[in-house]
Amino acid sequence: MKSIKITPKMNITVLTGAGISAESGIRTFRDTGGLWENHRIEDVATPEGFAINPELVWNFYKERQKNASEAKPNPAHFALAELEEKFGKNLQIVTQNVDGLHRKAGSNNVYEMHGRLDKCFCIDCFSKYDNSSIDLSVKIPLCPKCGGKLRPDIIWFGEIPYYLDIIEKLILNCDVFMVVGTSGVVYPAAGFVMSAKYHGAVTIGINLEKPSNADFFDQFYIGKAGDLLPDLIEQWLN
Ligand code: NAD
Ligand code: ZN
């Protein structure tokens, strides 16, 4: 097993997925048989689904936003925020999560590559809004500027994630690439560990079960992020 002594001079990039928020009470979706909160992914997480039934899609995301706003960060989120306090800009988080829990825990260096539940944008003029500034009580919220349909600011299946240019640089330049709570099946994020390893990073994984891309990890810890991550980071900080 390739091991490494971690120091604050090193660049660490952490990729997180739905599993890191599971202990905050937000359900992952692979665990529920490919359904996300009882909905087919095609219906609620694709542009085609939105075109067919925008009201259903909005109702789904309003509910997700409500859950996320009520959820509290767990020890795994807080441990990463603590690591950032010591490592500063050398610690960067790339998250597939849309729940905002990393920011709530105090992390600042966060790239939310799949968007945010608390924002939306216009499908005609692409203006972006905080949901708090929009009347969401209507069936399909409309753009205050042009009257076009607003949609949740979420990257759906078949769409290109945010920040890929920055993420590529982080992957190529990091000394350590750590992956927490992701099933390793949603691309492009599932491929990041392979790129990081090929570019010389030590790769570390934490997940409740072995992910599909397990072969690319130098160190792998099976268990709950909220149990394992704080201990691992504690070791690094000492
Ligand atoms: P996923 O649901 O495909 O996989 C989650 C992984 O986390 C699973 O392998 C599971 O075994 C593991 N896991 C569950 N509980 C865990 C725990 N306590 N500690 C460690 N690991 C745990 O999630 P994904 O790979 O992130 O892909 C899902 C996609 O759906 C993402 O693109 C994301 O945008 C979206 N999503 C987001 C949220 C959120 O924001 N919290 C929740 C559900 C889905
Ligand atoms: Zn508009």
Side-chain angles (χ1 to χ4, degrees), residues 122 124-127 129 143 145-148:
C122 170
D124 289 337
C125 74
F126 301 105
S127 297
Y129 302 96
C143 175
K145 282 188 199 143
C146 79

Side-chain angles (χ1 to χ4, degrees), residues 41-105:
I41 289 153
E42 305 86 288
D43 295 340
V44 294
T46 62
E48 294 78 16
F50 183 74
I52 292 168
N53 194 344
E55 191 183 338
L56 171 87
V57 173
W58 262 113
N59 285 339
F60 175 77
Y61 285 99
K62 279 185 226 172
E63 193 57 31
R64 302 280 73 70
Q65 191 197 349
K66 185 169 171 288
N67 289 353
S69 68
E70 288 165 2
K72 293 192 176 64
N74 66 57
H77 298 106
F78 285 122
L80 288 174
E82 201 186 329
L83 194 62
E84 185 186 299
E85 274 178 29
K86 269 261 168 64
F87 281 60
K89 291 277 175 217
N90 285 355
L91 186 270
Q92 299 283 336
I93 298 172
V94 175
T95 188
Q96 299 171 85
N97 295 345
V98 292
D99 54 34
L101 288 179
H102 284 300
R103 280 179 287 105
K104 235 189 219 180

Side-chain angles (χ1 to χ4, degrees), residues 17-19 23 28-30 96 98-99 114 182-183 207-209 225:
E23 290 156 81
T28 65
F29 85 140
R30 297 284 146 185
Q96 299 171 85
V98 292
D99 54 34
H114 288 168
T182 161
S183 54
N207 207 58
L208 203 53
E209 64 202 351

Side-chain angles (χ1 to χ4, degrees), residues 30 41-42 45-48 114 151 154-161 164 186-188:
R30 297 284 146 185
I41 289 153
E42 305 86 288
T46 62
E48 294 78 16
H114 288 168
R151 60 164 266 187
I154 300 291
I155 299 292
W156 287 328
F157 287 91
E159 299 184 317
I160 298 170
L164 284 183
V186 179
Y187 278 83

